Amino acid sequence: QSTIFRDAREARGAVSVQVVEGVVELRGALDRLSDIHHLERAAAKVPGVRDVRSYLHLAGTDAPNKADALDAARLILREGM
């Protein structure tokens, strides 16, 4: 985390980082798209990281994984399943 947030200290409280077997998951909402891209790139450069799964999104928008779930729920409701 210290490496990822070195140049993005203001994001530290807004982003959750979880690492399992070399896979980094980033979750949270940020104000600038450039900050999201910076954190994704920084995480990918950490030695031992095999993959980065980013669920980061702009503040005021749905998280990518939540947007997919909401779309599926809407489809089910629309089709009456």
Side-chain angles (χ1 to χ4, degrees):
Q1 288 188 23
S2 61
T3 300
I4 294 171
F5 293 115
R6 180 171 292 136
D7 296 325
R9 287 185 179 88
E10 65 279 353
R12 184 179 285 267
V15 175
S16 168
V17 179
Q18 183 176 3
V19 182
V20 176
E21 296 182 9
V23 178
V24 176
E25 285 191 358
L26 302 170
R27 298 177 186 273
L30 296 170
D31 293 328
R32 295 186 309 255
L33 192 55
S34 61
D35 290 340
I36 291 172
H37 294 304
H38 171 78
L39 290 175
E40 292 167 343
R41 286 190 304 270
K45 290 180 183 179
V46 174
V49 169
R50 296 183 302 115
D51 192 20
V52 176
R53 296 182 186 155
S54 177
Y55 303 105
L56 297 174
H57 56 100
L58 292 173
T61 66
D62 290 330
N65 56 330
K66 295 209 183 198
D68 291 344
L70 289 171
D71 287 343
R74 288 183 194 111
L75 179 63
I76 290 169
L77 290 173
R78 195 171 37 241
E79 293 181 359
M81 297 180 135

